């Protein structure tokens, strides 16, 4: 193999295109390691894939990994979920921010690098992608207005928990209405006084045709919204008060169906903390 890394083109690429800090896009990937492979999967992801398959790539500028221990998995609802079957599936989730306007550039690189990682035997096979999608940012709602971290800080700020909420509308038109209702009416009221400092709202984008075969095409591209609630407290301590019943107001508004509400806590990178508590 040639050692030519085409270094001269890097300066050219750096001189053109968007380079803001807004999280215009995200990769949200919820994965279930196969039984008996939890430790090996965790070490592969943390020691290699988080970096080689994500953070080292152009325009993916922030990342954080989260885990649902068995007690957190059992808090999830609804029991019959269009996202996870069973609803407890997917004990790890990784969230990454991608620079606004750089989705196409990032995708070219990520398809290329994943083909290379596969060829070199650096992709762990004993796992199932439960909910993996690149997403476009639609809105961020803050509890404290202009005070506190912004959404571009969210994956670096030491938040104590994450709640992932997925809502399906019946049509693209209804999703637009749902988004406006969430952004202007529901979320500002729901987040006030809560342990959640912010909620980011994303919509999924279709995966490229040359994606890896083990990643299924994204569902709900025209009808789904994904909400990430960033918590300043452990979700166990505030679940009953703030996060049960998120599906009620959506149903009452007639704007869709909540298909997943799932709490997570951050992993501790470089350790196997929580791996013995997954089952």
């Amino acid at each position: 193999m040639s050692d030519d890394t085409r270094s001269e083109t890097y300066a050219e690429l750096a001189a053109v295109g968007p380079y803001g800090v807004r999280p215009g896009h995200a990769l949200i990937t919820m994965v279930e390691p196969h039984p008996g492979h939890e430790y090996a999967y965790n070490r592969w992801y943390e020691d290699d894939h988080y970096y080689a398959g994500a953070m080292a790539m152009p325009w993916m500028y922030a990342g954080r990994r989260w885990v649902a221990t068995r007690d957190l998995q059992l808090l999830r609802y609804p029991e019959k979920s269009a996202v996870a079957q069973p609803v407890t599936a997917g004990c790890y989730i990784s969230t990454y921010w991608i620079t606004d306007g750089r989705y196409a550039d990032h995708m070219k690189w990520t398809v290329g690098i994943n083909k290379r990682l596969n060829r070199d035997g650096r992709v762990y096979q004993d796992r199932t992608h439960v909910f993996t999608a690149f997403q476009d940012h639609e809105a961020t709602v803050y509890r404290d207005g202009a005070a506190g971290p912004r959404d571009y800080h969210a994956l670096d700020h030491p938040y104590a928990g994450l709640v992932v909420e997925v809502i399906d509308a019946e049509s693209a038109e209804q999703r637009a209405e749902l988004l406006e209702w969430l952004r202007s009416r529901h979320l500002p009221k729901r987040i006030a006084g809560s342990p959640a400092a912010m909620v980011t709202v994303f919509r999924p984008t279709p995966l490229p045709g040359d994606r890896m075969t083990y990643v299924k095409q994204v569902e709900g591209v025209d009808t789904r919204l994904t909400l990430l609630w960033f918590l300043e407290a452990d979700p166990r301590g505030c679940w009953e008060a703030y996060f049960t019943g998120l599906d009620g107001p959506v149903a009452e508004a007639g704007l869709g169906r909540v298909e997943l509400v799932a709490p997570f806590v951050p992993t501790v990178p470089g350790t196997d903390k929580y791996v013995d508590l997954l089952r």
Side-chain angles (χ1 to χ4, degrees):
M1 181 184 284
S2 168
D3 289 329
D4 177 19
T5 57
R6 306 186 198 175
S7 294
E8 69 283 352
T9 59
Y10 282 83
E12 292 176 36
L13 293 172
V16 295
Y19 68 126
V21 299
R22 275 196 65 241
H25 322 274
L27 170 59
I28 301 169
T29 173
M30 188 165 78
V31 172
E32 180 73 9
H34 296 169
H37 292 265
E38 295 85 358
Y39 281 93
Y41 169 79
N42 189 53
R43 290 276 42 89
W44 164 76
Y45 200 98
E46 286 199 348
D47 296 347
D48 190 16
H49 199 63
Y50 178 84
Y51 302 105
M55 293 304 298
M57 289 197 265
W59 307 113
M60 184 171 266
Y61 69 88
R64 193 126 195 232
R65 191 161 174 255
W66 315 79
V67 60
T69 51
R70 188 63 184 168
D71 59 333
L72 289 168
Q73 295 166 32
L74 294 173
L75 295 175
R76 295 180 181 181
Y77 63 92
E79 187 180 351
K80 288 191 170 16
S81 166
V83 175
Q85 297 93 32
V87 72
T88 51
C91 54
Y92 284 106
I93 196 165
S94 297
T95 50
Y96 302 97
W97 290 166
I98 298 165
T99 301
D100 192 23
R102 289 294 191 170
Y103 176 72
D105 296 335
H106 175 78
M107 288 308 295
K108 282 190 169 62
W109 191 287
T110 195
V111 169
I113 202 69
N114 276 288
K115 285 180 177 176
R116 184 181 181 186
L117 290 168
N118 261 284
R119 190 177 66 235
D120 293 347
R122 283 174 63 181
V123 173
Y124 198 84
Q125 302 296 342
D126 291 297
R127 58 176 176 151
T128 299
H129 280 267
V130 176
F131 177 64
T132 291
F134 285 88
Q135 314 233 1
D136 286 343
H137 179 259
E138 286 287 3
T140 300
V141 175
Y142 296 102
R143 183 191 59 200
D144 304 324
R150 304 289 86 192
D151 50 15
Y152 44 85
H153 301 124
L155 304 184
D156 294 306
H157 187 80
Y159 286 114
L162 175 76
V163 174
V164 179
E165 179 182 4
V166 180
I167 309 175
D168 282 349
E170 289 182 10
S171 65
E173 293 74 24
Q174 189 184 68
R175 183 176 69 178
E177 199 180 338
L178 170 66
L179 174 63
E180 187 50 40
W181 176 79
L182 287 169
R183 177 167 38 201
S184 61
R185 294 172 60 194
H186 177 64
L187 293 177
K189 187 168 61 178
R190 193 86 187 196
I191 202 173
S194 82
M198 72 177 84
V199 188
T200 59
V201 184
F202 291 89
R203 60 176 174 84
T205 58
L207 286 169
D210 54 355
R211 70 190 183 279
M212 296 297 101
T213 53
Y214 54 79
V215 180
K216 65 182 180 181
Q217 186 53 273
V218 175
E219 298 168 356
V221 167
D222 296 318
T223 54
R224 181 166 280 179
L225 291 175
T226 306
L227 286 65
L228 303 178
W229 300 71
F230 290 93
L231 312 188
E232 294 176 328
D234 188 304
R236 298 174 188 88
C238 56
W239 193 252
E240 288 295 324
Y242 292 103
F243 293 103
T244 55
L246 283 180
D247 49 349
V250 176
E252 287 163 24
L255 294 174
R257 173 180 152 84
V258 171
E259 292 290 359
L260 182 69
V261 180
F264 296 84
V265 292
T267 60
V268 181
T271 75
D272 287 319
K273 188 171 184 179
Y274 305 121
V275 178
D276 60 338
L277 302 174
L278 300 177
R279 306 299 179 200

